[in-house]
Amino acid sequence: MTLGLLEAAVTALSSYLQTNIAAKLDVLDAEYADFILDDIKAWYKGNIPSALPEFPSVCLQGLNWMREENLNDKMYLRNNLNLIVFVGDDNDQTRFKKLCRYARALVELLRAGEASYGYAYRLEGPVSVSDTLATPAFLQAVNIPISLYPL
């Protein structure tokens, strides 16, 4: 495997998630049946957008990579990133449900697709919900901190 570091991890995961998120959202819509989750409108790779993001959208924020250990002359890396979902809805309860369901969809895809995107994942801390912005349209985010390890 070529040493691609963080860029390669973000690119591989982004491609996998973009390909599979719509089907996962359909499964959650059928399970809950109280409202339909919108398709992801924008994907931001590398960093949080500098302008207000479209919503719903997903940001794969690359944080850093680090060497874990050397075994048998191989370098093992840990790529650290945040998966951030931005959602806007003027109803507090609906917005919270949407944040939780988008986060669930991403975590379930992370678990199911390790072989497909070529990395093992690990949740690296609490999944957290941001404060709510009043403008635009009650924007809020959920952050999922993860590490990816090349398989």
Side-chain angles (χ1 to χ4, degrees):
M1 174 182 214
T2 303
L3 188 63
L5 306 179
L6 188 57
E7 178 184 7
V10 168
T11 300
L13 182 58
S14 177
S15 294
Y16 169 76
L17 292 175
Q18 287 183 54
T19 300
N20 293 286
I21 191 73
K24 178 54 76 173
L25 295 179
D26 288 344
V27 169
L28 292 179
D29 288 340
E31 179 180 333
Y32 290 101
D34 51 356
F35 56 82
I36 301 295
L37 293 167
D38 295 323
D39 289 335
I40 301 298
K41 293 182 180 174
W43 292 84
Y44 303 99
K45 293 191 319 185
N47 211 344
I48 296 174
S50 57
L52 289 173
E54 291 187 65
F55 47 88
S57 61
V58 175
C59 173
L60 289 87
Q61 180 189 29
L63 300 174
N64 58 55
W65 65 270
M66 58 194 309
R67 180 180 56 83
E68 284 290 296
E69 56 185 86
N70 284 331
L71 293 174
N72 302 327
D73 295 327
K74 290 184 179 182
M75 184 176 2
Y76 293 90
L77 300 175
R78 180 175 77 194
N79 297 280
N80 298 309
L81 58 147
N82 289 324
L83 292 178
I84 305 167
V85 181
F86 298 98
V87 171
D89 196 298
D90 61 354
N91 182 297
D92 293 341
Q93 292 178 359
T94 301
R95 186 176 56 248
F96 179 74
K97 288 178 182 180
K98 287 179 179 181
L99 288 167
C100 291
R101 292 176 195 177
Y102 283 114
R104 176 182 166 190
L106 290 173
V107 170
E108 288 181 0
L109 286 173
L110 282 169
R111 182 177 55 215
E114 288 179 323
S116 295
Y117 59 87
Y119 292 83
Y121 86 98
R122 184 172 73 195
L123 289 172
E124 289 296 341
V127 174
S128 58
V129 177
S130 73
D131 292 335
T132 305
L133 299 176
T135 306
F138 303 97
L139 184 64
Q140 196 168 15
V142 61
N143 180 49
I144 306 164
I146 63 169
S147 290
L148 298 177
Y149 299 84
L151 294 177

